[in-house]
Amino acid sequence: MDGVINIRADRTGGSAARMGEAVISGAGRIEYGGRADLDHEFPFCRTSVRKFRRGEVIAGAGVLIDMFARVQRGMVSASTPLPDGREFIVEIIPKGGLIGELEVLRKQSLSLEYRASSDCELHFFDGRLLRELCANDQQFQVKILSKALARASELELRLISNAGSSLKQRLARTLLRLSAVYKTEAGNSGDELLISQNDLAATLPASREKVNQCLRRLRESKVLDGTQGKIRILNRKVLEAYAEGAAA
């Protein structure tokens, strides 16, 4: 956990880890209790700041929390297990995205597992403050719920679109979508993606073997390049053509 904090959490049944009950656990730094300035769109101070290394679990499904988080740097994946035991990455949340805000408003446990897709920094906020602000400020409530609805609509459209698409088309769309996410990071052109083949397969979802075969053909066609855990887009126009189904 980057030597920063330890979090104890409360699962719905009673044991576990509450996001936000932060304790210093090493030589790392933690800002606890917020600062004098405000954190982006929220008119109240953050409770704590946490850093996660790529692959670390941020919060598991079934955890009952009274904190929500904003991705300040890096990316976070939200996943759920499929009936056959494979993982399905439902969403990759970029810088500026929120985690757990709807669960806080509904006082429900998390339904997805959240994991750091890259080295990342999260700012945590008190759920009680969010509920109070939404209750007293209808404009702010509409803003929060509109963002959540936009995310849900994007996911629905993506699932519908992928249902009738070939693996190559789904892969091309996913790589372009991830490229757009990477562009949110300063100094990143979006052409180099840090993602493992396991995570890429889980995002589609598809078997790792089939994804590897598809990646190999795209490398042979000079559309992509890369090594383990890294993919570089060499020919964006051809990849866009695959995504639209205009290329064989």
Side-chain angles (χ1 to χ4, degrees):
M1 297 211 213
D2 210 21
V4 194
I5 325 173
N6 217 346
I7 287 186
R8 298 189 309 273
D10 232 4
R11 286 189 179 264
T12 1
S15 59
R18 273 176 78 99
M19 285 203 306
E21 284 186 331
V23 184
I24 297 176
S25 67
R29 298 187 310 275
I30 172 174
E31 296 181 44
Y32 197 81
R35 302 189 320 191
D37 58 327
L38 304 180
D39 197 278
H40 194 58
E41 65 227 279
F42 303 113
F44 43 79
C45 289
R46 57 184 178 253
T47 302
S48 61
V49 175
R50 289 200 61 197
K51 294 179 181 178
F52 296 87
R53 291 197 180 104
R54 182 180 179 183
E56 281 192 301
V57 174
I58 296 167
V63 173
L64 184 62
I65 62 172
D66 202 19
M67 301 286 292
F68 69 102
R70 179 179 183 271
V71 182
Q72 188 70 13
R73 176 176 59 83
M75 292 181 291
V76 173
S77 65
S79 65
T80 188
L82 294 173
D84 61 6
R86 289 183 297 150
E87 178 190 28
F88 174 35
I89 295 180
V90 178
E91 181 183 19
I92 293 182
I93 304 166
K95 176 182 176 181
L98 300 179
I99 298 171
E101 75 282 14
L102 288 183
E103 287 83 356
V104 159
L105 290 174
R106 296 168 177 168
K107 297 185 179 181
Q108 294 177 342
S109 58
L110 295 173
S111 57
L112 300 173
E113 178 181 274
Y114 293 91
R115 192 175 70 245
S117 295
S118 65
D119 291 350
C120 62
E121 177 182 303
L122 271 63
H123 290 190
F124 289 86
F125 299 86
D126 190 330
R128 176 183 57 83
L129 296 177
L130 181 66
R131 287 193 298 273
E132 289 178 355
L133 186 58
C134 283
N136 297 321
D137 187 337
Q138 189 172 9
Q139 188 175 3
F140 182 82
Q141 182 187 67
V142 169
K143 180 181 178 181
I144 289 291
L145 295 180
S146 294
K147 283 188 174 184
L149 180 59
R151 284 168 59 186
S153 297
E154 190 275 336
L155 174 61
E156 181 182 39
L157 290 173
R158 177 156 47 91
L159 292 174
I160 292 171
S161 176
N162 285 348
S165 304
S166 67
L167 177 58
K168 183 182 287 187
Q169 192 173 12
R170 284 157 49 205
L171 177 59
R173 288 174 179 169
T174 298
L175 293 175
L176 289 170
R177 181 166 51 86
L178 291 176
S179 172
V181 169
Y182 272 91
K183 280 184 179 180
T184 64
E185 293 288 340
N188 196 318
S189 67
D191 289 334
E192 188 170 279
L193 315 178
L194 298 176
I195 185 168
S196 69
Q197 291 179 353
N198 279 336
D199 281 358
L200 188 56
T203 302
L204 291 170
S207 71
R208 181 175 175 178
E209 292 74 17
K210 290 183 178 179
V211 171
N212 286 345
Q213 292 172 8
C214 199
L215 286 172
R216 186 172 62 250
R217 287 194 290 269
L218 291 173
R219 284 194 294 266
E220 290 169 353
S221 303
K222 307 298 183 185
V223 177
L224 302 176
D225 192 12
T227 55
Q228 187 69 24
K230 184 182 295 184
I231 296 174
R232 180 180 291 278
I233 299 174
L234 300 178
N235 194 326
R236 186 173 291 269
K237 287 186 177 180
V238 172
L239 193 63
E240 289 170 348
Y242 283 134
E244 296 298 325

